[in-house]
Amino acid sequence: MKHIFLILFSFAIMFSCKQKTGVSTKVDPITEALPNLVIVLSDQHSYDMLGAYGNKQIITPNLDKLASEGILLNNAFSNQPVCTPFRGMLMSGMQPLKNGAFVNDVPLLPNKTKLLGQILKEQGYQTAYIGKWHLLGGERDRPVPKGELRYGFDTLLTNNVHVDYRPGKAFFWNDKGEKEYFDEWEVYGQTNQALNYLDNIDKSKPFALIVSWHPPHDWGKFKGEDGNMHYRYDTMEELMALYNRDSIKLRPGLEPTPDRRRMYHGHMAQVTGVDVAFGRLMAQLKAMDVEEHTLVAFTADHGDMLESHNAKLPKQYPHDYSTRVPFIIKYPKKIKAGVKTNTMLGTMDIMPTILGYMDIETDQDYDGNDLSEKLALSQISADDYVPLWVYRLGHAKNINWRGVVTENFTFSMGKDNNPITNTLFDRKKDPYQLNNLYDNPEYADTKERLKGLTYQWMDKYHDDFYGAKEFKTVEPKEKWQYNYTKNPIELFEAKNK
């Protein structure tokens, strides 16, 4: 493996040479009053695609180093494993039926609560968001207008959402509302934007920066050797060259066909590219001498099935490969190095937990919980669970389902008999979720208990198992994709009066 790391190191040096920023200066000590914040997101990146989570074949030295310096969450789950809903929950700490962003390309409402960027800005932070946005709703190929739809971020450099990361194809919208194209892989272009931003901040004030990379998300499909269409992940040759496709091991229970090896090869290569970029960000923080006073969090919006369990889509399923994500936090002031925790965290918990670590108090009525004092204790009980769900409007090929994940089981139920969304897995005896116990009479009591927990959270969030038909009955005149005023709960309540 040593020669691989030498190659990777050399590649990182080449990337750094393309950096369009100057030499950083140290931050003024006055910023000691408030911690800085850096949240880094990848997209469609499962927990098992990091070395720190036990994957011995993937090359992620920088993220592994982050785990050794902070706390790694073994049980972090995306409540709704879909891009827009994840981002809406991250920004609000609210359930999607309340914040409005309940399916892809339906906007996060700006008028329901104070959002993450707004709270930080009120605290005196310089706020910036760079990379994939996917919160504007409607037509994707348009810039995010200035004002309330930027949710408190002073600097916003994004293409909104665009799925072609190649040099000359990837772009961002500039301040004039014009497209500017990157001459390098999108992740590296966005990383250089982040480095440039950090080089030019006001050193007397704290900063809050979110960097959101789209890879290792697929970028289209290819026709395989088997004659079928498969999701495409191929990336730059220098990253692909770090892996031997024929030696890549697939997840348990999945037949290693040539087409699947190609998928894994590209996906893993993209993950390594993300890791290289992450290393550049960490080097910048070190050069600024702010490592000890900056909370750094890395996670992903959801995972990628990579055709496990015969999944037709990369995500939107209850299985771990779809819902369970990497989550690592480094904050030397409060978090000891090298900690691993089994405490359960869902997407709605992220915002209150991050602000809890930062000692920023708000009067927000979160749907998630502040776990900042609980994570290090690694406590988990039989009553702990993370709610899981997917809503459906009828446009996509996804399935409407609800469920929960506990320490010992994953459960989901739909309104049909589809075995991929009517599931019961024993997490201890069957960690790869290869044996669906949903119809096993020996687990009938367990199934009923988990069904009860599911209905418990559905009642709490006013979810009457809504599906495409029900959402259609309350759809605003401007359509869901351009609705910026009322959330689904308000519209259902008005209808039922």
Side-chain angles (χ1 to χ4, degrees):
M1 289 293 289
K2 289 184 178 179
H3 73 284
I4 292 179
F5 287 113
L6 287 173
I7 295 172
L8 191 57
F9 177 76
S10 300
F11 183 54
I13 295 297
M14 288 190 292
F15 168 42
S16 67
C17 291
K18 292 195 71 174
Q19 185 180 335
K20 301 174 179 65
T21 59
V23 177
S24 298
T25 57
K26 294 185 178 182
V27 174
D28 195 303
I30 196 171
T31 61
E32 289 296 311
L34 288 169
N36 303 306
L37 173 64
V38 176
I39 298 176
V40 181
L41 306 172
S42 57
D43 193 349
Q44 216 161 282
H45 186 174
S46 302
Y47 74 98
D48 65 332
M49 287 295 173
L50 278 185
Y53 281 84
N55 190 325
K56 298 185 183 302
Q57 60 181 343
I58 200 158
I59 306 169
T60 53
N62 294 298
L63 288 164
D64 297 345
K65 183 174 185 289
L66 181 74
S68 71
E69 296 173 340
I71 186 167
L72 178 148
L73 281 65
N74 284 318
N75 289 310
F77 294 88
S78 182
N79 292 113
Q80 183 175 354
V82 190
C83 301
T84 297
F86 168 87
R87 292 159 197 276
M89 287 183 278
L90 171 70
M91 296 291 193
S92 68
M94 296 173 67
Q95 211 269 353
L97 294 180
K98 293 183 182 180
N99 68 38
F102 68 102
V103 296
N104 264 352
D105 301 307
V106 170
L108 172 64
L109 299 178
N111 58 350
K112 298 306 171 190
T113 186
K114 286 184 180 178
L115 301 169
L116 179 60
Q118 295 167 334
I119 290 173
L120 292 169
K121 188 173 180 179
E122 287 180 356
Q123 293 287 325
Y125 280 79
Q126 303 165 87
T127 56
Y129 189 109
I130 295 171
K132 180 183 176 182
W133 183 249
H134 211 173
L135 288 167
L136 180 59
E139 170 59 45
R140 293 182 175 186
D141 191 20
R142 59 188 180 126
V144 181
K146 294 182 179 180
E148 65 176 6
L149 292 180
R150 295 195 174 195
Y151 310 132
F153 290 98
D154 298 317
T155 298
L156 178 61
L157 296 171
T158 180
N159 55 33
N160 187 17
V161 54
H162 175 72
V163 191
D164 193 338
Y165 322 128
R166 294 173 294 178
K169 299 291 184 179
F171 69 91
F172 67 97
W173 298 97
N174 63 24
D175 286 338
K176 298 179 181 179
E178 302 167 334
K179 288 183 180 179
E180 287 192 32
Y181 288 86
F182 291 115
D183 63 357
E184 54 191 334
W185 190 45
E186 182 179 90
V187 170
Y188 294 164
Q190 291 168 344
T191 302
N192 279 328
Q193 288 179 322
L195 299 178
N196 183 65
Y197 171 79
L198 291 171
D199 267 339
N200 290 283
I201 59 171
D202 183 340
K203 305 298 191 296
S204 68
K205 298 178 181 178
F207 63 85
L209 168 65
I210 297 180
V211 181
S212 177
W213 296 313
H214 210 154
H217 193 290
D218 63 273
W219 56 286
K221 291 186 176 183
F222 69 93
K223 188 172 183 178
E225 295 181 22
D226 61 3
N228 298 319
M229 300 302 293
H230 301 268
Y231 286 97
R232 178 174 57 187
Y233 301 87
D234 305 329
T235 188
M236 298 183 300
E237 285 301 321
E238 52 264 47
L239 291 172
M240 299 286 280
L242 296 173
Y243 294 91
N244 180 347
R245 182 177 297 184
D246 293 335
S247 67
I248 291 175
K249 295 180 181 179
L250 277 58
R251 290 164 173 161
L254 190 62
E255 182 185 354
T257 66
D259 299 319
R260 285 171 174 164
R261 286 192 183 279
R262 175 178 171 180
M263 292 172 65
Y264 269 68
H265 188 185
H267 186 82
M268 293 169 67
Q270 287 196 92
V271 170
T272 296
V274 163
D275 184 81
V276 169
F278 183 82
R280 294 296 305 150
L281 287 175
M282 295 304 98
Q284 179 82 348
L285 296 181
K286 184 175 183 178
M288 295 168 66
D289 198 23
V290 297
E291 278 186 303
E292 297 299 306
H293 200 63
T294 301
L295 188 155
V296 177
F298 174 83
T299 189
D301 52 1
H302 52 74
D304 194 317
M305 298 288 278
L306 290 169
E307 296 193 358
S308 286
H309 308 290
N310 296 313
K312 301 298 182 185
L313 301 173
K315 65 259 188 177
Q316 306 201 49
Y317 300 104
H319 306 72
D320 274 13
Y321 297 139
S322 170
T323 60
R324 189 177 167 196
V325 293
F327 205 113
I328 305 169
I329 310 172
K330 177 185 175 182
Y331 185 30
K333 181 179 179 181
K334 290 190 175 184
I335 297 174
K336 293 181 179 179
V339 175
K340 292 186 178 181
T341 180
N342 291 322
T343 301
M344 304 192 77
L345 173 141
T347 310
M348 293 184 290
D349 302 321
I350 297 175
M351 179 176 168
T353 298
I354 293 294
L355 294 179
Y357 274 123
M358 298 169 71
D359 293 318
I360 295 177
E361 297 183 1
T362 73
D363 57 1
Q364 299 287 95
D365 184 17
Y366 296 112
D367 290 322
N369 299 305
D370 175 5
L371 302 176
S372 59
E373 294 184 358
K374 295 182 179 180
L375 288 178
L377 300 176
S378 192
Q379 294 178 343
I380 187 169
S381 72
D383 295 327
D384 292 338
Y385 70 88
V386 172
L388 304 174
W389 65 84
V390 163
Y391 297 122
R392 187 171 189 269
L393 280 184
H395 308 305
K397 296 179 181 180
N398 57 357
I399 301 170
N400 191 44
W401 59 269
R402 310 290 187 272
V404 292
V405 58
T406 70
E407 177 185 17
N408 295 317
F409 293 97
T410 295
F411 167 81
S412 65
M413 61 183 184
K415 289 187 174 181
D416 55 19
N417 295 315
N418 195 325
I420 201 166
T421 47
N422 288 270
T423 67
L424 176 59
F425 295 112
D426 188 320
R427 302 183 60 80
K428 300 295 185 182
K429 297 179 180 179
D430 182 24
Y432 302 114
Q433 302 180 327
L434 301 176
N435 183 21
N436 190 350
L437 304 169
Y438 191 84
D439 293 319
N440 188 324
E442 295 182 9
Y443 286 81
D445 291 343
T446 298
K447 177 178 171 181
E448 286 305 308
R449 183 178 69 83
L450 297 172
K451 185 181 292 185
L453 293 178
T454 301
Y455 281 120
Q456 182 184 91
W457 74 252
M458 289 173 66
D459 182 66
K460 177 181 178 180
Y461 300 134
H462 309 285
D463 180 356
D464 196 21
F465 222 134
Y466 299 125
K469 181 180 179 181
E470 290 78 18
F471 286 123
K472 185 66 177 178
T473 65
V474 296
E475 185 172 33
K477 292 181 180 179
E478 61 271 25
K479 303 299 182 183
W480 286 115
Q481 289 78 5
Y482 295 93
N483 167 48
Y484 298 98
T485 54
K486 293 187 176 181
N487 63 38
I489 289 177
E490 292 171 318
L491 292 168
F492 278 117
E493 288 177 345
K495 175 179 179 289
N496 295 329
K497 281 184 177 180

